Amino acid sequence: MPRSNLALDGAQAAVPAALVSHDWERFRKSTQEEIDAVVEVLKSGHLSIAMGKGMPNAEGLEREFAEYVGVRHCLAVNSGTAALHCAVAGAGVGPGDEVIVPAYTFIASAMAVLHQNAIPIFVDIDPETYLIDPLKIEAKITTRTRAIMPVHIYGLPCDMDEINRIARRHSLKVIEDSAQGYGAKYKGKSTGALGDAAGFAMTTTKQLMTGEGGLMTTKDASIFERASMTRLFGERVDMNASDRAYASESIGWNYKMPEMISALARVKLRHLDSYVAATQRNADYLTSRLKNIEGLRTPVVPPDRTHSYYLYAVRVQTDRLASDLPPARVRDAVMAALSAENVKVARWQKMAVPDQPVFQRKQAYGRGCPWQCHGAGETSYETSEFRNTRAVIDDHFVVRSLVPPNSLELMECYAIAFEKVFEHLDRVLEIHEESSEAPVASEKTR
Ligand SMILES: Cc1ncc(COP(=O)(O)O)c(C=O)c1O
């Protein structure tokens, strides 16, 4: 006799394997429309910049994405990190300048600052939303601060009015890291149009996924001009002119987006809203089913914004559960039980960004740069700070496969799995404590 109806005890999994087995493949498979667009570029032979003919797909994408976001300018580049770097450079951040970044984000937010030989200064997050806590920003502003980089983690826009107010008070630029923020709205406005400049990513599982790629948006012509030069060797190039001067005016990189990627992105952009809406439908349904489970915290969405659910995050609230195990152990036990039920769960970041070796050892350009080579003051990446970041890293995980074509049928099974696991939480914890293995093997997420 099984001891419970948990899959861990040998009972049938709540999610039929057939319903999930092809979910990744379905999600990643290109449509005929996408294949046709890429093949057309291949047939044309026009794969990158061609003087006199420009980059028609990259330029088309820039026009269309600028319109989608509601800004004047967009720059297509070859990664989200490049988009952020162009935004940082475009905003006039320079060597030794400081940029405020949340402690909970992907390393690329801070890397884009280091790439400009500038110094990331970290701020803790609000544990309810996983987003930079505006109340903690001003304490980190110094005479060297040039910009604030709010990151719309998991697809929820940051508290932009408050952040913009602080920025105005201290004459700082605001650079949104919207790598995960496609399709989300703050007070009716799109992410990417909420600060001075923004960067979007197109890698792995992003809502506008093309393999690799990035998009920078801004309403500011001078930011756009500097960012364009950063993209292309520090040159001022009119893509459609018949000749190129080859006269670099400053340091620049080669961040051009290939034409095949641009063509693919243009097709995906046409379907972005329906993709996000289907994900939101799945997320809303899941929340309606999970929100009353004691000890589980579903995503918090403040009333002035929408969530696009790049990832759907839940917290295990050990203070509401009859367990004195550390939160990370309870989280691992719950994840293991859900995995056994065929729910796709994963952990995203495993440490606060300032805890990563690059900051603890201050190893970037070498010879102390950027931390000591511009007469900058002492920067401390004190590990006892960022308590909220550490707490959420310990007690939350993400639920995958909310994206279309997955539908409410899968969400229904997910909800049943969660209900089962929390109903039998004692048994779940017992099994986990018995098995000497610590963390659950989770799918890699970025
Ligand atoms: C929050 C965040 N910022 C920046 C990036 C960087 O994008 P990319 O990997 O395309 O350089 C990513 C995604 O990878 C991200 O999730």
Side-chain angles (χ1 to χ4, degrees):
M1 257 307 264
R3 302 216 12 216
S4 71
N5 66 348
L6 292 167
L8 279 179
D9 268 330
Q12 196 174 26
V15 185
L19 210 54
V20 280
S21 61
H22 44 115
D23 117 273
W24 274 106
E25 292 81 354
R26 280 194 296 173
F27 162 52
R28 285 164 186 267
K29 216 168 239 166
S30 296
T31 63
Q32 195 55 49
E33 191 186 6
E34 292 165 0
I35 293 167
D36 290 347
V38 173
V39 167
E40 200 176 312
V41 176
L42 278 173
K43 282 183 178 163
S44 77
H46 189 157
L47 305 188
S48 183
I49 187 169
M51 292 321 292
K53 292 188 185 157
M55 299 178 77
N57 277 293
E59 292 167 76
L61 174 64
E62 289 171 349
R63 275 192 308 277
E64 289 152 16
F65 194 69
E67 191 181 333
Y68 176 83
V69 165
V71 292
R72 187 162 298 167
H73 307 284
C74 170
L75 200 63
V77 292
N78 52 16
S79 75
T81 312
L84 287 171
H85 180 203
C86 285
V88 170
V93 173
D97 288 345
E98 293 178 353
V99 177
I100 296 203
V101 178
Y104 187 68
T105 181
F106 181 56
I107 188 69
S109 320
M111 276 291 167
V113 176
L114 285 181
H115 288 166
Q116 196 58 12
N117 223 335
I119 302 171
I121 299 292
F122 296 98
V123 167
D124 206 2
I125 56 165
D126 174 347
E128 290 287 300
T129 58
Y130 310 91
L131 305 173
I132 191 166
D133 184 347
L135 295 175
K136 294 187 175 148
I137 291 177
E138 272 187 309
K140 296 290 184 106
I141 293 175
T142 71
T143 52
R144 292 181 297 279
T145 313
R146 293 288 170 269
I148 307 171
M149 185 187 288
V151 185
H152 306 314
I153 293 289
Y154 298 154
L156 180 67
C158 295
D159 188 352
M160 293 306 295
D161 276 358
E162 198 46 43
I163 291 166
N164 282 322
R165 243 192 308 275
I166 295 167
R168 268 197 304 276
R169 209 156 39 229
H170 298 272
S171 305
L172 309 176
K173 298 288 188 206
V174 174
I175 300 161
E176 299 166 73
D177 179 341
S178 195
Q180 307 184 354
Y182 291 97
K185 297 261 187 339
Y186 176 84
K187 298 192 174 169
K189 267 174 107 175
S190 288
T191 54
L194 303 170
D196 295 287
F200 291 80
M202 301 157 84
T203 188
T204 56
T205 56
K206 297 293 182 288
Q207 295 104 323
L208 193 74
M209 200 280 277
T210 55
E212 299 294 342
L215 295 160
M216 192 212 84
T217 54
T218 181
K219 1 182 184 220
D220 184 319
S222 61
I223 291 181
F224 181 68
E225 192 182 354
R226 280 192 296 266
S228 304
M229 292 170 73
T230 306
R231 174 175 72 171
L232 199 68
F233 306 111
E235 295 175 64
R236 285 176 209 275
V237 175
D238 172 357
M239 292 280 186
N240 290 292
S242 58
D243 202 7
R244 180 169 167 184
Y246 291 106
S248 290
E249 294 178 31
S250 63
I251 188 171
W253 282 255
N254 179 4
Y255 285 158
K256 294 191 299 297
M257 178 181 278
E259 282 291 279
M260 279 189 287
I261 298 290
S262 304
L264 177 59
R266 294 178 81 180
V267 176
K268 291 220 167 191
L269 181 57
R270 293 203 280 275
H271 300 281
L272 179 59
D273 278 341
S274 64
Y275 181 86
V276 171
T279 312
Q280 286 169 326
R281 232 180 349 265
N282 284 339
D284 290 344
Y285 179 76
L286 198 58
T287 299
S288 74
R289 292 290 302 272
L290 305 189
K291 67 175 190 233
N292 295 322
I293 294 180
E294 189 63 17
L296 187 74
R297 187 81 156 121
T298 49
V300 169
V301 187
D304 56 3
R305 54 201 104 162
T306 64
H307 200 316
S308 60
Y309 297 103
Y310 167 64
L311 291 172
Y312 185 95
V314 289
R315 301 184 71 190
V316 176
Q317 297 172 298
T318 40
D319 53 342
R320 289 169 177 246
L321 297 170
S323 162
D324 43 20
L325 287 172
R329 291 257 281 282
V330 180
R331 177 208 63 211
D332 283 345
V334 168
M335 287 178 72
L338 288 167
S339 286
E341 302 292 344
N342 285 335
V343 177
K344 296 268 185 186
V345 290
R347 290 181 64 208
W348 192 52
Q349 298 301 295
K350 317 288 188 310
M351 61 169 98
V353 177
D355 288 348
Q356 296 196 28
V358 58
F359 294 109
Q360 289 303 306
R361 297 179 195 151
K362 293 195 186 153
Q363 259 170 25
Y365 279 98
R367 300 191 184 157
C369 285
W371 293 279
Q372 278 132 40
C373 64
H374 307 287
E378 190 54 36
T379 307
S380 160
Y381 294 118
E382 179 48 61
T383 55
S384 62
E385 265 190 272
F386 320 119
R387 219 172 295 144
N388 294 338
T389 297
R390 291 221 173 69
V392 302
I393 285 173
D394 277 353
D395 71 12
H396 93 285
F397 61 92
V398 299
V399 185
R400 317 248 8 189
S401 304
L402 272 69
V403 296
N406 291 316
S407 63
L408 299 189
E409 189 190 1
L410 182 64
M411 297 305 104
E412 172 70 23
C413 297
Y414 272 18
I416 292 168
F418 270 89
E419 284 158 6
K420 243 209 246 191
V421 167
F422 276 82
E423 207 173 297
H424 297 286
L425 194 63
D426 287 348
R427 178 70 188 135
V428 164
L429 296 175
E430 184 183 53
I431 295 170
H432 193 68
E433 289 304 298
E434 276 167 14
S435 70
S436 51
E437 317 299 331
V440 63
S442 62
E443 224 170 299
K444 186 178 177 294
T445 321
R446 272 186 66 198

